[in-house]
Amino acid sequence: MLAIVFSYINEACILISVACFIVGWIHIRHHRVRVHRRWMLRGVLFAALFFIIYALKTVLLGDNEFGGPKSVRPFYYGFLQVHSVLATVAAILGIITLVYASRARFSRHRKIAPWTLVTWFVTAATGLVVFILLYIVYTPGQAAGLLYSYLGK
């Protein structure tokens, strides 16, 4: 039960981070750099909070197995693996984007930031689909270790 509660908190963190990034993007489009920076840092804070909670939940409680029908499992786990790869790419791009901004390398920051933002939005959208399938459409299965859940055994 606790793993499910943390999953809802995690999904809220991701959705809040997306909202912050949208607001930050709107502000930079209007050349409001200071406001942009604040909103983007809020988004990063919620994304980092997600990661910390997710990592702790995974290590301490495990991840919930997919509780849907066996016929849907291969599609779910394939989709989950695509989402996981996207999340990794988004995290790496996010770190690079933050480093460029913190070092005032704004020409490089401007080049990579749109790719980072789009990748993060796609990651958040695929994560939302995973969340909906795992916790809303179907009853979640037992909490299990990360590798077991990821491979769908």
Side-chain angles (χ1 to χ4, degrees), residues 18-28 35-36 39-40 42:
V18 167
C20 291
F21 290 143
I22 290 170
V23 172
W25 179 77
I26 290 168
H27 282 289
I28 201 61
V35 179
H36 161 77
W39 279 102
M40 293 313 233
R42 287 177 186 135

Side-chain angles (χ1 to χ4, degrees), residues 66-82:
F66 179 67
K70 287 185 180 183
S71 62
V72 178
R73 284 184 185 168
F75 301 104
Y76 169 80
Y77 285 109
F79 191 81
L80 176 63
Q81 290 174 358
V82 168

